Amino acid sequence: MATAVMLSPLLASALHAAPASAAPAAPALGTSTGSTTLTDAEAGAEAAEVSITKVSPVIPDGEDTLTISGSVTNRSRDALTELEVNLRTGPVLTTRSSIERAADREGFAYDQDGREVTDDATALPMEDLPSGSTRSFTLDVPVEDLGFDESGTYQLGVALSGHTRSVGYEQVLGIERTFLPWQPEPASTRTDITFLWPLVSTPHLTARTASDEQQTPVFRDEDLLDEISPGGRLYELVRQGADLPVTWVIDPDLLASVDAMRQAYQVETPDGPVAGRGQDVANRWLNDLQDATEDREVVALPFGDPDVASLAHRGRDVSGSLGHLQTATAAAEVTTETILNTTPETDFAWPVEGAVDGSVVAVATSAGARNVITRSDSLREDRSLPYTPNAARPIGGGITAVSADATLSTLFRSDMTRADTTTDAVQRFVSHTLSITEENPTKRRSILVAPERMPTASQAGVMATAVEALAEHGGWARFIDLAETAKAEPDARANRKVPGAKAYPERLREQELPTEAFESMRATQTTLKDFAVILSQEDRVVTPFGSAVRREMSTAWRGRGEEAQAYRESVHDYLMSLTQQVQLVPKSPMTLSGRSATIPVTVQNNLVQEVDGLELRLTSGRRIGLEIDDEVKSVVVEGGHSQSITFDTSAKANGRTFLTAQLYTEDNKPYGEPMTFQVDVTEITSTVLLVIAGGVLLVVLAGVRMYTQRKRRGPRPDPDAPLSSGEDVPEDDSGATGSEDTGPESTESPGPGEKVDR
């Protein structure tokens, strides 16, 4: 870091009068020298800033020449003159805490910043530096001139000395420190290092698929293509990690998403879906990843990288939430094996930043994981422990906490686009690992490094530099797999107590998914379950929506609440739109005549697949008036078609009634909205009644007339009785025997309804 050092005139005079063998530079601002402490205000000037942008080699040996490059910037108002850049070696730093104190210290202190290396090659004259200007430098120093003795981590300081207009003598104007591990002989007992190399991204796939046979996937955007293209974040992680001895930690959803890009896919835009263009890039990235992970340890996170802390704190009491974690775990192994052709480890849970409490551990292991990756700033160690303990320690119930070293894990989290922060992170990383070994050189230890979940491309490059340097030149360390670290013998004094709920960082708790998110997932899952039972090809819907629901739990949504909510709503709304593609067609009011009638109800299926497993029920709003012979009918409708279901009815009384049609699933759950329509029932119409009444009246009148006619004629004679003497039998024209009575009535035509006897 940069340090501002300007001397006050009073201190300058005292030093000027001192012998040449006295301290060559003034005490740092803000540091104590006897009873005097100087401040920036007393100095009356701003600092000169020194930055170290390169240290090479990262881990030197005795025959190397150390090259240190950087820049100096004049932060004061005056020009800096008679300048010289020199190298100072400080004392060996025997503890890890001493490294961090030196890294955080500001100002210059002669007793802490060591001696100036006096070889001609280590002092670099520099031209005057105007206010606000910057100039670069490079120092080349033979390592043997540094005077290193014992093995350990040494502090190096690059100081800028010179004059200002207000102070006419030489002074230290600024200093920057770095660290150099020094081990002349390999350690007899090396420290085991496991370095996690995470491949995790934000959710990119939607629940939508095209209605074609291939179910062309639809992406939210083309951001994933940018990440896997040359120079992108995921591209650099694969390229940089390909030859490193690291443990790959992969979200299978990322694999599934890139695999979907290998074929035709679509991308959502404000103007509608457009064809994706990343097929070649996706193929190349997955092929490179397969090569990089061949014969390497791969840890598969649950599908979608669910946020187990949010689930534990906000979603645990929402029914069905834990089931999502179980299905995500089950999908992880299958997805990784299918795409990477390797069998992954699925026995590890990784809460965000390794922060745990009892509920987080319980949820994280509820789906079968027996190891929880935590961090030493969560599972805190006893300060009296004189060395860094093994990462693994049992925490009860057959569960092992694998505690990552917090200092090593967070070294690469800052902006690594700046060369000075890059150099600082690498040198501190290798120095800390040596210090761990030096803490207890006869005891082998297993240390875990768990960096940020989604490192940037620049962070990936810095991590790769650190790991490569340690693997090739760190004679005190060796790299092992995570599974081996998890099985290491735990230290007896290492902390095994899981912190309570109050110890969980409030900063992380504020970023968690809200309870409403898990309630929304439950609603979507319930709708999906009810919808799936009517489909002939349910996997076309269940698979993309099941994956989308798991993505709704992703740790990637932390700090992005609005975007997470929009994603959940888009999934649920699209599912509802699909369920509404199967519906009842509205009917207009109907009029039924007669004692019986048939009522049709139409079911429309606008899906591309056949629906089955539905029942249509028709009920009447009046108990007396219109009866439905069979109220329940099975429904099967082909994709893109409609079908009319008919119901036989019987009229009992005239009047108006309302019928309600409702679809049900086979498990007796209503499907969709009911459809109600009006029916006017007229059992026998007025016209029919008039015709029948007229016919009955005519029959009655004809009967009355026949009765009166016969009454006038009297009784009919007995045809078997003998004739009286003198009576002749009359004959008609045909010669047939006529009836007894003749007269006008006998010649009339029969009246309506009368039957003629012949």
Side-chain angles (χ1 to χ4, degrees):
M1 70 288 306
T3 304
V5 180
M6 296 295 293
L7 298 177
S8 69
L10 180 62
L11 183 60
S13 299
L15 287 177
H16 187 67
S21 60
L29 300 178
T31 62
S32 177
T33 61
S35 61
T36 304
T37 300
L38 299 180
T39 66
D40 288 339
E42 291 173 326
E46 293 181 289
E49 180 179 327
V50 181
S51 296
I52 298 176
T53 58
K54 178 183 179 182
V55 175
S56 179
V58 173
I59 303 173
D61 60 33
E63 298 179 356
D64 287 329
T65 296
L66 182 68
T67 298
I68 300 180
S69 300
S71 65
V72 295
T73 301
N74 183 358
R75 297 299 187 190
S76 71
R77 299 175 182 176
D78 300 329
L80 304 180
T81 61
E82 300 181 43
L83 300 176
E84 181 182 85
V85 178
N86 52 65
L87 183 65
R88 292 178 174 272
T89 58
V92 63
L93 303 173
T94 58
T95 64
R96 300 185 65 190
S97 59
S98 64
I99 295 175
E100 291 306 294
R101 284 195 300 269
D104 294 338
R105 184 162 52 86
E106 296 182 356
F108 173 81
Y110 177 76
D111 59 338
Q112 298 181 63
D113 287 313
R115 69 178 181 87
E116 180 180 345
V117 178
T118 57
D119 187 270
D120 292 342
T122 63
L124 178 68
M126 183 174 288
E127 295 180 359
D128 294 352
L129 197 62
S131 175
S133 60
T134 299
R135 188 164 291 126
S136 61
F137 66 85
T138 296
L139 297 174
D140 294 315
V141 184
V143 173
E144 61 183 12
D145 292 346
L146 297 178
F148 292 160
D149 248 343
E150 57 184 310
S151 173
T153 295
Y154 287 83
Q155 171 191 298
L156 292 182
V158 176
L160 176 67
S161 300
H163 296 73
T164 65
R165 184 177 63 179
S166 59
V167 180
Y169 58 87
E170 184 180 14
Q171 57 189 304
V172 174
L173 303 174
I175 187 170
E176 170 72 317
R177 300 173 189 84
T178 188
F179 308 96
L180 201 67
W182 172 249
Q183 189 189 51
E185 298 294 335
S188 58
T189 302
R190 299 193 179 196
T191 298
D192 293 334
I193 306 289
T194 297
F195 199 107
L196 303 187
W197 201 258
L199 285 184
V200 179
S201 187
T202 57
H204 296 283
L205 269 172
T206 70
R208 293 179 178 269
T209 58
S211 58
D212 51 17
E213 186 66 27
Q214 294 75 25
Q215 284 192 275
T216 300
V218 180
F219 283 72
R220 299 170 60 213
D221 46 46
E222 281 279 40
D223 289 354
L224 182 56
L225 176 58
D226 295 337
E227 287 194 292
I228 64 175
S229 296
R233 187 181 70 85
L234 294 173
Y235 176 90
E236 287 300 315
L237 278 166
V238 173
R239 186 181 72 85
Q240 299 280 0
D243 297 320
L244 298 178
V246 294
T247 291
W248 295 80
V249 182
I250 302 176
D251 176 10
D253 177 41
L254 172 61
L255 300 180
S257 299
V258 179
D259 186 59
M261 294 175 64
R262 301 171 86 171
Q263 308 298 325
Y265 68 97
Q266 296 179 347
V267 181
E268 288 183 342
T269 69
D271 299 325
V274 299
R277 50 187 174 81
Q279 287 84 355
D280 292 340
V281 175
N283 269 310
R284 183 166 55 250
W285 187 84
L286 277 180
N287 289 336
D288 291 345
L289 179 59
Q290 288 174 352
D291 293 340
T293 56
E294 186 177 4
D295 299 326
R296 298 286 187 180
E297 183 184 43
V298 174
V299 173
L301 298 172
F303 189 99
D305 189 20
D307 189 342
V308 294
S310 292
L311 183 56
H313 297 154
R314 310 293 179 95
R316 189 177 186 180
D317 294 332
V318 178
S319 63
S321 294
L322 291 180
H324 297 314
L325 181 59
Q326 293 170 347
T327 58
T329 301
E333 183 172 4
V334 174
T335 304
T336 307
E337 283 185 350
T338 302
I339 298 175
L340 284 189
N341 299 319
T342 187
T343 301
E345 296 279 353
T346 58
D347 201 25
F348 292 88
W350 189 13
V352 172
E353 294 190 17
V356 296
D357 58 24
S359 63
V360 172
V361 171
V363 168
T365 57
S366 64
R370 310 310 295 169
N371 301 283
V372 179
I373 299 172
T374 180
R375 208 165 68 185
S376 60
D377 53 353
S378 180
L379 202 65
R380 298 181 182 275
E381 302 300 337
D382 186 344
R383 292 185 178 181
S384 65
L385 194 64
Y387 58 86
T388 304
N390 281 348
R393 67 282 313 269
I395 55 176
I399 306 301
T400 298
V402 190
S403 182
D405 187 87
T407 301
L408 296 177
S409 299
T410 57
L411 279 175
F412 308 100
R413 68 190 308 172
S414 58
D415 180 9
M416 292 295 161
T417 59
R418 294 180 48 179
D420 55 344
T421 56
T422 295
T423 301
D424 180 62
V426 172
Q427 296 305 131
R428 287 167 68 182
F429 177 81
V430 295
S431 297
H432 268 285
T433 58
L434 175 58
S435 184
I436 290 173
T437 303
E438 295 287 334
E439 289 171 340
N440 194 341
T442 62
K443 181 178 178 62
R444 181 182 297 278
R445 275 159 293 158
S446 299
I447 306 300
L448 174 64
V449 182
E452 292 293 290
R453 222 177 190 86
M454 288 190 283
T456 64
S458 58
Q459 288 170 342
V462 178
M463 292 190 302
T465 299
V467 171
E468 183 178 16
L470 185 59
E472 293 182 359
H473 303 290
W476 58 87
R478 70 177 187 129
F479 285 86
I480 64 173
D481 289 343
L482 177 60
E484 190 175 349
T485 293
K487 296 175 182 177
E489 184 72 22
D491 286 279
R493 296 175 58 186
N495 180 26
R496 305 184 184 189
K497 184 178 179 180
V498 176
K502 292 183 179 179
Y504 191 84
E506 192 62 30
R507 171 183 60 86
L508 295 180
R509 195 180 292 271
E510 291 174 353
Q511 298 175 355
E512 292 176 345
L513 295 171
T515 302
E516 292 77 10
F518 294 95
E519 292 173 344
S520 174
M521 296 175 208
R522 177 180 61 183
T524 300
Q525 192 67 30
T526 299
T527 302
L528 178 63
K529 181 179 179 181
D530 293 342
F531 185 41
V533 299
I534 74 167
L535 303 175
S536 59
Q537 303 176 51
E538 64 178 47
D539 59 298
R540 287 179 62 92
V541 174
V542 171
T543 299
F545 275 97
S547 297
V549 170
R550 289 188 283 273
R551 294 184 187 106
E552 294 178 13
M553 298 175 60
S554 174
T555 57
W557 298 122
R558 280 185 171 250
R560 302 161 59 201
E562 292 184 1
E563 190 177 351
Q565 181 178 354
Y567 184 82
R568 292 193 300 270
E569 290 176 351
S570 68
V571 172
H572 187 266
D573 291 347
Y574 180 55
L575 178 59
M576 292 302 299
S577 71
L578 289 182
T579 64
Q580 293 164 5
Q581 299 302 307
V582 180
Q583 61 181 346
L584 298 172
V585 177
K587 293 182 66 65
S588 301
M590 298 179 61
T591 299
L592 303 183
S593 301
R595 292 181 177 272
S596 61
T598 298
I599 298 178
V601 177
T602 301
V603 181
Q604 187 176 43
N605 174 20
N606 289 326
L607 298 174
V608 297
Q609 62 172 295
E610 179 183 89
V611 295
D612 196 356
L614 278 176
E615 293 180 345
L616 177 59
R617 300 180 188 179
L618 187 64
T619 56
S620 175
R622 289 176 57 187
R623 296 182 61 186
I624 301 176
L626 185 65
E627 293 184 356
I628 303 170
D629 294 345
D630 188 358
E631 295 183 347
V632 181
K633 295 291 184 69
S634 297
V635 177
V636 178
V637 188
E638 294 182 7
H641 289 74
S642 299
Q643 181 176 349
S644 291
I645 312 297
T646 58
F647 293 85
D648 295 329
T649 61
S650 300
K652 298 299 183 182
N654 294 344
R656 176 178 297 173
T657 188
F658 290 90
L659 298 183
T660 299
Q662 173 70 65
L663 290 170
Y664 284 83
T665 59
E666 290 181 339
D667 52 358
N668 203 35
K669 292 183 179 179
Y671 182 89
E673 297 296 325
M675 188 264 292
T676 300
F677 57 97
Q678 177 181 314
V679 177
D680 292 323
V681 180
T682 54
E683 182 187 358
I684 305 174
T685 65
S686 301
T687 303
V688 174
L689 289 174
L690 288 174
V691 172
I692 294 175
V696 171
L697 180 59
L698 290 175
V699 171
V700 172
L701 292 176
V704 171
R705 183 174 182 183
M706 290 176 63
Y707 174 76
T708 55
Q709 286 178 346
R710 292 187 177 183
K711 188 174 182 181
R712 282 199 300 267
R713 295 192 187 107
R716 295 176 63 89
D718 185 358
D720 296 328
L723 296 173
S724 302
S725 65
E727 289 184 337
D728 296 325
V729 179
E731 295 182 358
D732 58 16
D733 294 339
S734 63
T737 303
S739 64
E740 178 183 30
D741 293 327
T742 60
E745 293 83 3
S746 63
T747 62
E748 288 183 32
S749 300
E754 285 189 310
K755 181 179 180 180
V756 180
D757 292 333
R758 291 189 180 268

